[in-house]
Amino acid sequence: MTTTDDRWFHQRGGLSREGWESIVDGAIDGWQHTGLRVAALAAGDVLALGETGVERIIVPLSGSFTVTHGAASGTAASERPASERTETALAGRPSVFSGPTDVLYLSADETAELRGEGRVAVAESPTTELHPTRLIAASETPVELRGAGASSRQVHNFGTPAALDAARLIVCEVITPAANWSSYPPHKHDELVPGHESRLEEIYYFETAPVAGAPSVAQNATDAAFGLFSTYSSPAGQIDINRMVQTGDIALVPFGYHGPAVAAPGYDLYYLNVMAGPGPERVWLISDDPAHAWVRETWNDQHVDPRLPYGPDPTQTPEERGRH
């Protein structure tokens, strides 16, 4: 199998439809196990998640949101009695670089409507297996500082197997400080080797921003913020992605070694990872590229980047942290 970045890399808005800035789903040829929706909402906007048979995690990127949700029972969400629906508030955050956020896992038998102001992502995976809907508060989110030195990054593991009971979805978000590398060493998870490697599709959704304290000329040109991302071939298939990434861009990884994701000097890099696959276990097991696996050993003699962890200002109230 051979493919190019034209099929698996999409700039912001390139997958827009149905009121969403981007939709990744089975409409993309060869894509089966994962999905993603991204939208910017203004006051009064409503977006529906009207299909069942899909488990979801709703992730505020910036701003705050209210989710009205409940079991569909074959009836559209807007037609269900209000008494049979639940309203869940997601306090959100000013930006993806402000630390963890509340997220909501929705069972595959529930539909929902989203309201609020800001940017929101919805990670998805088709399934008929039902797991309970659950709010994961920002304070409950496991925060991991992974790597060391220039490979230091911060991971929010709200949707990983250790943190969340789900059918197939494995979801986390990664913050890479300016000039650092993440998704490194390059690794793959495109074949099932029990106990050693999982077979998982993966979506990378990116955001970028000037570092905190950058001069006003940088803050006034946030659209220029960028990082770099690569994916290359493995025995499972031929793929070649080497792209500048900016806020709203999406890379799809059906197979192949992926990484690094590099934050340019002066600009922090964020990505949301959405994974799922056909294997019998919900587990993330990877194989490093043997040519680069030795790099992990060098971290033993390095410290975690002192800029980490990124998080909310402790002097802010929860309401202030939810503003964008």
Side-chain angles (χ1 to χ4, degrees):
M1 183 182 297
T2 301
T3 188
T4 68
D5 64 347
D6 292 335
R7 185 176 183 190
W8 303 119
F9 185 83
H10 301 273
Q11 291 183 307
R12 181 174 182 170
L15 294 171
S16 63
R17 71 176 199 262
E18 301 169 12
W20 296 86
E21 177 183 290
S22 297
I23 296 180
V24 175
D25 61 13
I28 297 174
D29 185 34
W31 203 252
Q32 303 177 62
H33 306 294
T34 58
L36 178 69
R37 294 170 182 260
V38 179
L41 275 72
D45 289 345
V46 180
L47 282 175
L49 299 168
E51 295 183 32
T52 57
V54 181
E55 62 176 350
R56 302 178 171 98
I57 300 179
I58 299 172
V59 183
L61 300 170
S62 64
S64 302
F65 300 89
T66 299
V67 186
T68 305
H69 58 97
S73 299
T75 304
S78 60
E79 299 173 358
R80 298 283 290 173
S83 61
E84 298 182 26
R85 313 288 290 173
T86 299
E87 189 170 280
T88 300
L90 302 178
R93 53 191 169 182
S95 83
V96 294
F97 302 104
S98 303
T101 178
D102 300 340
V103 304
L104 180 65
Y105 172 81
L106 286 180
S107 179
D109 67 343
E110 292 203 10
T111 60
E113 291 181 337
L114 295 176
R115 294 174 175 82
E117 295 183 68
R119 290 179 61 79
V120 64
V122 183
E124 301 182 331
S125 182
T127 183
T128 57
E129 187 178 322
L130 300 183
H131 292 254
T133 291
R134 179 188 165 194
L135 172 68
I136 302 99
S139 60
E140 297 179 83
T141 296
V143 177
E144 174 189 2
L145 300 185
R146 188 179 296 172
S151 295
S152 301
R153 58 272 206 184
Q154 177 173 330
V155 187
H156 300 157
N157 288 310
F158 54 78
T160 58
L164 176 68
D165 177 28
R168 305 174 72 195
L169 270 176
I170 300 175
V171 183
C172 66
E173 54 186 10
V174 180
I175 296 92
T176 309
N180 281 12
W181 292 41
S182 57
S183 281
Y184 190 74
H187 57 278
K188 72 182 185 75
H189 40 70
D190 56 17
E191 60 179 327
L192 178 59
V193 183
H196 296 280
E197 185 176 338
S198 313
R199 183 184 165 198
L200 298 168
E201 287 180 347
E202 185 164 16
I203 300 170
Y204 278 72
Y205 165 80
F206 298 97
E207 295 209 0
T208 54
V211 297
S216 58
V217 64
Q219 299 295 349
N220 293 334
T222 56
D223 290 345
F226 74 99
L228 303 172
F229 179 72
S230 294
T231 300
Y232 57 94
S233 301
S234 73
Q238 300 295 311
I239 188 168
D240 183 14
I241 299 175
N242 288 286
R243 297 295 296 257
M244 176 186 287
V245 296
Q246 298 180 287
T247 293
D249 292 347
I250 293 172
L252 306 180
V253 183
F255 44 73
Y257 290 104
H258 42 289
V262 182
Y267 304 108
D268 290 332
L269 175 67
Y270 162 96
Y271 50 87
L272 178 70
N273 282 145
V274 182
M275 293 177 279
E281 288 188 275
R282 178 177 169 246
V283 61
W284 180 64
L285 297 174
I286 66 171
S287 296
D288 286 337
D289 183 337
H292 305 295
W294 64 271
V295 173
R296 289 189 188 273
E297 299 177 10
T298 68
W299 299 345
N300 295 332
D301 299 321
Q302 301 179 55
H303 297 290
V304 172
D305 191 315
R307 292 174 291 178
L308 297 176
Y310 286 11
D313 182 340
T315 66
Q316 287 184 319
T317 66
E319 291 75 18
E320 288 171 329
R321 289 196 291 271
R323 294 173 188 158
H324 65 287

